Each structure stands twice: as structure tokens, then as C-alpha cells.
Amino acid sequence: MKTNVKEIFGMNVFNDAVMKERLPKAAYKKMKATIDSGEDLDPGVADIVAHEMKEWAIEKGATHFTHWFQPLTGITAEKHDAFIDPQSDGTTLLRFSGKELIKGEPDASSFPSGGLRATFEARGYTAWDCTSPAFIKETPHSTILCIPTAFCSYKGEALDKKTPLLRSMQAVDVQAIRIVRLFGNTTAKHVTTSVGPEQEYFLVDKEKFLKRKDLIFTGRTLFGAMPPKGQEMDDHYFGSIPERILSFMEVFNQELWKLGISAKTQHNEVAPAQHEIAPIYDQNNIATDHNQLVMETAQRVADDMGLKCLLHEKPFAGINGSGKHNNWSMCTDEGENLLDPGKTPHENMQFLLFLAAVIRAVDEHADLLRLSASTPGNDHRLGANEAPPAIISIFLGEQLNDVVEQFEDAGEATSSLEGEEYVSGVHSLPHFKKDATDRNRTSPFAFTGNKFEFRMVGSTQSIADPNTILNTIVADVLCDMADKLEAADNFEMAVHDMIKETISAHKRVIFNGNGYSDEWVAEAEKRGLPNIKCMVDAVPALTTPKAVEIFEKHGVFTAAELESRAEVLYENYSKTINIEALTMIDMAKKQIIPACIKYQTSLAESVNSIKAANPAVDTSVQASLMAAISENLKAMYEALAELEEVTYTAESMEEGADQGHYYHDVVFAAMDALRAPADKLEMLVSKEAWPFPSYGDLIFEV
Ligand code: ADP
Ligand code: MG
């Protein structure tokens, strides 16, 4: 199959090129001013845009439009409306007005709101986010015009992930511009945050997937003995990609390109059956929309091709899970990356100040960042030596670390380390200068050349949450810095002192060593860095006085919105573990235990018929197998009763922190206790007797 990338790229997006071509000049100019500078959009222009958008969509075969939004479920939501406007003569016109483009009114009462909105106050609104272009979602049997929107309640409280993200981007814009101005830039109008999320996922065979209730209901396996081979040979990472997976990637890329998503890099990941895709970075809110579409598209394309895409953070125990590396930087509208150190970082005071600001923000609000990467699934990864530890620290690398240390020691930096010559010992290989800094795969927050890479984020997550928090904490520090610098008599001296003081005060968060080591856990504790081990322990960070203060100050969240989000997080945690527990109970009762009893019966029958044929034949193997199976069955039955009891107790508790902790401390432990004997049983009975595909079947036979 040959793909004409140029032809298909962006073909389903109502992008700048399409608007320029289709909109009258004056309307286009006004639209651009709204998109680029946030100027109010006049309703007349909205009507014109809506009309052209509709015409364009109909040409592409669209029958419906939808306001596409991102409620607190973490996935996207849409309600389709046909363009039809039936006439008295039995025909229909096709219509779409500016009003319909700008505002929608879905029933808000069926989305999580954390108590922000009682069911009787059902009204909610979606509002067009014109900074993220409308697009067409094409599936084999439907073609829908999707309009990215923000979702809020009747009273204006945010009920989605988009609104706070946009607010936080504004906060960075306002504060970062103040700093840029102080350094003499009078022309830049805006600073935006850019994000490039790398997405990990697993692909498994659909038929096998459908035989596993745990994958169907929870997205991860709840039982499963380790196969003889896991990832110990290190032979999957960057390995050559099998035909079936390559075909998937080909179609997946095409679908993304049609949506204007710049899918760029793909490779096998560490675990068998695990892969990664990374697009080229984009403006924060667009990158967020695109990442949602990447996840949706991966699942849809896989399903069409007889596969299933697992986005869960830990689909299989014992092998690596999946994350999402959130690459983040700040850029002016003139294209200057404020986190680019240049060749001589020690002379680049503006860069050093932005760097110091990020270091301070991460140190002061480590608890919030930790929370921003908390999901029930990510609890299995963080701190388990496959993903960053649960302790937040920053990796700077040799070059920047050296500059920072010079500042600390001498009050200024006079040199920057350079990359050394690459020496291979082979004349015919090219010579080049290496980067000044190596990489560190164990750091949760690593400086990587001209951006920070937040590596804790979970693979299922919307990246809106981590970025909303990152943007807000950085904006808050920049605000404080700008307040002081604007008031300083001698700007240069003040900047200098500020960089030095900030580094001295917050260097405890810098760590360039092995984040997976036990020594680091001890060292971090000595340094006073928080080590928040699980999601339920992380949630309170959202509503501390210091968090409420910064979120309110920068207009990102009100205290009530924060309270509601904390409630949604607890609820989400409890519900997730509850579904997992019920699924385990179901599989244990209806599949595993009956299958083992059946197998045992066949052993007993075998003993009987052998003995009947010849009493002298030794049947001790069958006897010892029967004994081992009995022992584990008994253990399983007891663990099952315990899990049923604690799950029942958990369900009857009031929603909130206590219930969340009970699920974590008690129900979760009971799930582990049920799994252990079941996994032993899997190794005792025959392959045919086991009621669903094994780990080996799932990850090595895709
Ligand atoms: P890595 O450093 O992880 O090997 P890449 O250079 O491929 O990776 O970048 C990983 C992701 O970071 C990509 O999505 C890339 O577009 C994104 N990225 C690169 N530069 C920036 C930047 N200035 N801001 C945000 N993301 C960026
Ligand atoms: Mg990376």
C-alpha cells in the first residue's frame, strides 16, 4: 500500500489553510485575531464561519455536528446533531448557525462533577474553543463534524479538563511575558506552553482479549502466571516490528495524519507487545486534544484490524507498564523557546531565570505534580523500578548542573561544558560532537535539551491535568519573580541574585543519579522531599491552603472546583478498584474454580481407570497433583470469601477519602491474596483446562 502523506495530511481539519481559502477576507482576519490574540469574536463572524464549516463538512460527507468536550471521566464526550432542517414540502435544508457553533447545551447531570452541581441543576454549556481547529471524525459508517469545546456548569464552574488548562495557559502567558519584557523584548505578544506527549500502549489479539473478562471490564489482567520468558532478554525495545503490528501502525498513522496530527516516531517499547507513538509537539491545548484523538484512534484502528489496544498503565504484572512522557516548554509567539539554553548557557541569564523558576515551582509544589500523575493504574508503576519513583526530583544533566553549581559556589557562572568528540575507533564512521549531557531514564522530571520531560504521567491519562498543574505552578513563581524584578533598582544585579538564591533554596530537588536506587529513597527523605506512594495519599495535595491560594490567584480553579475535583478523584479510585474486585470475584467463581475442579475430576477418573486396569501401576503423580490443586483451591476459596466480604464493606461506605483508603489498604490487599493461589493453579492444571488465554498467549502471540 502506498500512502500519499502530503495529500492526506490535515484533510479532515478545518485548519488555517481551509479558513483562508473559504472565508471572506474580513471574516478570516477577525477569526485569526481571535485565535492568535484572544480578541472577542463578533457574532456575525461566527455565522459566516459556521456556514463555511458546514459546507466544508458536508462536502466531506458529514451528516452531523457535535460539540466535542473532555469531561472529568478523562475521555471525550460527544452528542451528535444532524444538520437537517425539514421543510413543509417534505424536503430538508441543511443548516448550522453561528449560535450552534459557539454554544451547546448538553445535559450536565450525567457527568462527574464532584458535587459541584446537584442533579436538579442539570444545565451545562459547551463553549467553542476556536484555538483548537474543528475536525471530521470519519469511521466506516459515520462522518461527524467535531467542534472542540470547553464544558462548564450553569453557574460557570468548570466541569471539564479543557477549561482549567486554557486558564492555566493564560496564566503562563501573562506572567512569562512580564519576564520577557524585563529582558528587553518589546515585541513578543504572547508566551504559550508547547507539549509533545509520547504515548505507550500494548497491542493484543482481539479474539484472545475477548476471552478475558478482566481485560474487557478493567483494561488490565487480574490473574496470570508469568510465562517462561518476559522482558529479561531486552530484545523487544526498538526491535524490528512484526508485519501485523506494522500494518496497524500504517493505518494508525494515516488516520492521525488525516486529522492533522503530526505522528512522527514509532517503535517497540521495553515489554513484549508494547509500542510507542510520538507526535511533533504543539501548542498545549491542541496537543491535549490530539493526544485524546491518538488514544481513541489507536483503539478504533486496532479493533478494526482484529487487535485490541491496551492503554492501561499496567496491563500485565511482572512486565513493564505504560506511561506518557509529557515534553513541555514555553515559547514566545516569535518562536523563541524560553527553555533553550543556547550554546553558552552560563551567559544566558534569561534562560537561567526561567530554569530557576521551574526548579523552584517543582520543589514548592512537588505534591501537586505527584497528584497530577496519579491514577489507579499508575499506582502499579511509580516507584516500582520501571517508571520514575514516586519522589519528584529534577534531572539537569552535566552541563546545566555544572552551571548551576558554579552559580551556587561563586555567585556567577563563567563557563559551560561542551560535548566531547564522538570516538568510535572506526575511521569510516562519522565524527560529531556529542550532546553536552547524557540522558537519565530514571528521573521523573528531566531537562532534555530545550524542554522538560515529565515522565510520571500515566498512559491512560488526559494530559490536561498534569499540564494545568505544571503551567500554574510555573506561572505562580514567574509572577513572584516579576513582582520583585520590576521593583528592583538594578535589574541585572537583581536577576543575578535571584538566580543564585533560587538555586540555593531549591537545589534539594535536583538529583542526577539513579532514581530507581534504594539509596535515593533514603537520600530524598534526608532532603525532606515528599514520597507520596499512592493515589489516595496524593489527592489531599489538591486542596491544601497553598494549592488553593495559587489556583485562585491565577484564576485556574476556585476552591469549590478544587474540592469537587478531589471528590471525583476519590470516587474514581474507589469505583475502579471496586470493578476490579468484582471482576476477580466473577472470574474466580465462574471460571477458575470450576475449571480446576473439572480438571481434578479428570485426574481422579484417570486414577480410577488406571487402577481398574492394573492396580499395580503407580498413580502417585496424579495424587500429588490432586493434593496441590486441592491445597490452592482451598486457599483460593478462603481468599475469595474474604474479598467478597471486604468489597461488600467498601461498597457500603460513604464516598470519599475514607472509602478510597479502605479500597487501597484492605480491598486491594484481598485482591492480591486471591490472585496468588490462582496463579499457582494456572501452573498446576493443563493448558487446555485453563479457562482463558495465558500471559504467554497474550504477549508473545500477537
Ligand atoms: P526524546 O528526547 O524523548 O528522545 P524527541 O526529541 O523525539 O525525544 O522528543 C520527544 C517529544 O518531545 C516529541 O513529541 C517532540 O516533538 C517533543 N518536543 C521536542 N521539542 C519540544 C519542545 N520545545 N517543547 C515541547 N515538546 C518538545
Ligand atoms: Mg522521551
Side-chain angles (χ1 to χ4, degrees):
M1 182 170 34
K2 297 267 173 285
T3 306
N4 188 335
V5 181
K6 274 182 99 159
E7 208 162 274
I8 63 171
F9 193 86
M11 65 180 268
N12 284 344
V13 189
F14 195 72
N15 55 23
D16 189 51
V18 176
M19 284 197 286
K20 201 168 190 171
E21 186 192 313
R22 303 189 73 122
L23 295 178
K25 232 188 185 132
Y28 172 74
K29 263 177 105 175
K30 283 189 182 160
M31 195 60 220
K32 271 295 267 184
T34 305
I35 293 172
D36 295 341
S37 314
E39 281 172 28
D40 286 346
L41 188 69
D42 90 55
V45 173
D47 272 327
I48 298 171
V49 175
H51 175 76
E52 284 305 326
M53 206 185 260
K54 177 203 72 185
E55 293 294 309
W56 170 82
I58 289 171
E59 282 167 28
K60 303 242 166 229
T63 52
H64 292 69
F65 71 93
T66 181
H67 275 200
W68 184 74
F69 59 104
Q70 302 173 22
L72 301 184
T73 52
I75 52 177
T76 59
E78 46 195 80
K79 177 190 79 171
H80 303 164
D81 278 298
F83 292 119
I84 53 167
D85 180 12
Q87 304 295 297
S88 55
D89 64 357
T91 62
T92 187
L93 296 176
L94 298 178
R95 281 191 205 279
F96 181 50
S97 68
K99 241 169 86 187
E100 288 171 304
L101 169 64
I102 288 176
K103 190 188 93 179
E105 213 200 302
D107 179 350
S109 60
S110 298
F111 293 101
S113 75
L116 260 189
R117 206 214 58 253
T119 12
F120 58 89
E121 299 164 341
R123 229 185 254 274
Y125 295 107
T126 48
W128 180 31
D129 170 18
C130 68
T131 60
S132 182
F135 57 92
I136 283 179
K137 217 196 256 185
E138 223 183 351
T139 58
H141 302 291
S142 73
T143 307
I144 311 286
L145 169 65
C146 296
I147 298 152
T149 53
F151 178 44
C152 63
S153 75
Y154 185 67
K155 293 189 185 123
E157 292 129 338
L159 294 176
D160 68 348
K161 301 199 178 236
K162 183 63 137 335
T163 309
L165 176 67
L166 291 170
R167 292 171 181 164
S168 76
M169 288 171 67
Q170 267 177 33
V172 170
D173 186 11
V174 171
Q175 304 307 334
I177 275 289
R178 291 173 66 194
I179 303 281
V180 171
R181 288 273 182 277
L182 284 164
F183 280 95
N185 181 333
T186 52
T187 46
K189 292 193 193 71
H190 292 284
V191 170
T192 49
T193 45
S194 302
V195 169
E198 303 163 55
Q199 174 78 43
E200 294 179 338
Y201 60 92
F202 280 79
L203 287 176
V204 297
D205 182 76
K206 183 170 166 179
E207 257 179 58
K208 291 177 188 149
F209 172 100
L210 291 173
K211 293 194 174 117
R212 294 212 46 144
K213 291 216 157 62
D214 45 7
L215 287 178
I216 293 173
F217 291 131
T218 74
R220 75 174 179 108
T221 54
L222 300 167
F223 295 101
M226 272 308 281
K229 182 183 176 200
Q231 64 191 41
E232 61 277 69
M233 300 298 281
D234 292 330
D235 54 358
H236 194 258
Y237 189 60
F238 281 21
S240 84
I241 303 172
E243 191 59 39
R244 188 175 187 194
I245 304 302
L246 265 184
S247 310
F248 162 84
M249 288 179 171
E250 176 82 27
V251 180
F252 183 28
N253 280 322
Q254 285 169 11
E255 291 301 303
L256 295 179
W257 290 334
K258 285 187 201 166
L259 291 167
I261 298 172
S262 53
K264 170 88 176 160
T265 310
Q266 60 193 26
H267 59 80
N268 283 357
E269 257 301 326
V270 170
Q274 192 186 27
H275 313 280
E276 177 178 305
I277 181 154
I280 297 172
Y281 67 96
D282 214 325
Q283 188 178 305
N284 206 162
N285 60 323
I286 295 176
T288 304
D289 286 359
H290 281 180
N291 184 247
Q292 294 298 128
L293 287 171
V294 164
M295 293 193 283
E296 267 179 58
T297 307
Q299 288 175 306
R300 180 170 58 75
V301 171
D303 199 71
D304 284 349
M305 299 181 77
L307 293 162
K308 278 284 178 182
C309 171
L310 309 180
L311 292 169
H312 196 281
E313 284 86 2
K314 193 74 179 175
F316 304 99
I319 59 173
N320 275 16
S322 300
K324 183 139 50 190
H325 293 174
N326 190 82
N327 295 272
W328 176 94
S329 67
M330 292 173 277
C331 301
T332 67
D333 56 345
E334 298 173 325
E336 183 187 6
N337 177 353
L338 301 173
L339 290 177
D340 189 346
K343 287 216 160 50
T344 51
H346 68 283
E347 294 172 334
N348 188 343
M349 288 302 132
Q350 180 183 295
F351 163 73
L352 288 173
L353 188 69
F354 277 106
L355 179 74
V358 176
I359 293 172
R360 177 177 151 195
V362 171
D363 186 33
E364 281 179 351
H365 301 288
D367 58 340
L368 277 172
L369 271 183
R370 169 67 182 87
L371 167 72
S372 80
S374 294
T375 71
N378 229 8
D379 272 6
H380 299 281
R381 291 175 70 239
L382 301 179
N385 287 2
E386 59 164 277
I391 306 161
I392 300 269
S393 66
I394 298 180
F395 170 82
L396 287 183
E398 287 157 50
Q399 190 192 43
L400 287 187
N401 206 55
D402 173 64
V403 171
V404 160
E405 276 176 0
Q406 290 181 50
F407 245 99
E408 240 241 298
D409 295 344
E412 62 177 338
T414 52
S415 64
S416 298
L417 297 177
E418 285 187 36
E420 288 167 14
E421 196 74 20
Y422 168 75
V423 187
S424 67
V426 179
H427 295 305
S428 57
L429 288 178
H431 292 249
F432 52 82
K433 273 209 162 164
K434 293 188 287 189
D435 292 291
T437 291
D438 196 5
R439 287 177 182 268
N440 179 321
R441 286 175 60 96
T442 67
S443 176
F445 204 88
F447 187 77
T448 46
N450 60 2
K451 63 190 189 283
F452 276 100
E453 185 171 351
F454 184 30
R455 305 176 66 252
M456 271 179 141
V457 182
S459 49
T460 52
Q461 275 190 271
S462 158
I463 56 168
D465 292 337
N467 287 300
T468 299
I469 284 179
L470 189 50
N471 294 343
T472 309
I473 64 181
V474 171
D476 185 59
V477 172
L478 292 176
C479 173
D480 182 56
M481 287 178 158
D483 287 347
K484 288 179 180 141
L485 292 174
E486 281 164 0
D489 297 329
N490 182 332
F491 172 69
E492 256 156 52
M493 253 175 51
V495 169
H496 223 266
D497 291 348
M498 184 173 278
I499 295 171
K500 180 174 157 42
E501 281 157 21
T502 309
I503 289 167
S504 297
H506 299 285
K507 67 172 185 212
R508 65 172 190 163
V509 78
I510 299 171
F511 176 63
N512 292 297
N514 178 7
Y516 290 180
S517 69
D518 294 336
E519 293 81 50
W520 169 234
V521 177
E523 164 71 16
E525 192 178 340
K526 255 195 254 153
R527 293 190 190 184
L529 302 179
N531 182 359
I532 303 170
K533 297 212 171 66
C534 59
M535 175 169 170
V536 282
D537 286 344
V539 176
L542 207 51
T543 48
T544 59
K546 111 183 137 87
V548 173
E549 190 193 323
I550 64 162
F551 284 123
E552 291 209 315
K553 176 171 175 187
H554 299 284
V556 176
F557 286 120
T558 62
E561 285 171 337
L562 288 168
E563 290 287 344
S564 74
R565 267 157 217 255
E567 216 171 288
V568 170
L569 287 169
Y570 282 127
E571 234 175 72
N572 174 273
Y573 183 83
S574 297
K575 285 180 180 163
T576 303
I577 306 298
N578 187 250
I579 292 169
E580 291 185 350
L582 294 178
T583 304
M584 280 189 99
I585 292 168
D586 190 87
M587 290 171 81
K589 267 191 176 167
K590 295 193 183 149
Q591 292 187 289
I592 300 176
I593 293 176
C596 292
I597 291 175
K598 195 168 157 200
Y599 182 72
Q600 238 193 352
T601 310
S602 75
L603 287 176
E605 282 166 358
S606 137
V607 172
N608 286 343
S609 41
I610 291 170
K611 287 283 179 204
N614 181 355
V617 173
D618 179 10
T619 52
S620 62
V621 171
Q622 287 91 329
S624 72
L625 265 177
M626 275 160 52
I629 291 172
S630 278
E631 191 189 318
N632 284 294
L633 266 178
K634 188 161 176 260
M636 219 185 134
Y637 204 66
E638 281 165 16
L640 176 63
E642 172 70 13
L643 181 59
E644 285 189 296
E645 191 184 318
V646 297
T647 305
Y648 181 75
T649 308
E651 281 172 337
S652 59
M653 290 171 78
E654 198 184 319
E655 280 178 352
D658 289 347
Q659 189 194 39
H661 279 282
Y662 187 83
Y663 270 108
H664 178 266
D665 301 342
V666 183
V667 178
F668 206 70
M671 286 164 58
D672 278 345
L674 177 60
R675 177 174 182 151
D679 288 359
K680 283 192 193 140
L681 283 165
E682 185 180 347
M683 298 306 287
L684 288 169
V685 305
S686 75
K687 171 102 188 121
E688 297 72 42
W690 199 247
F692 36 77
S694 68
Y695 269 30
D697 299 336
L698 285 165
I699 60 180
F700 284 106
E701 293 176 33
V702 187

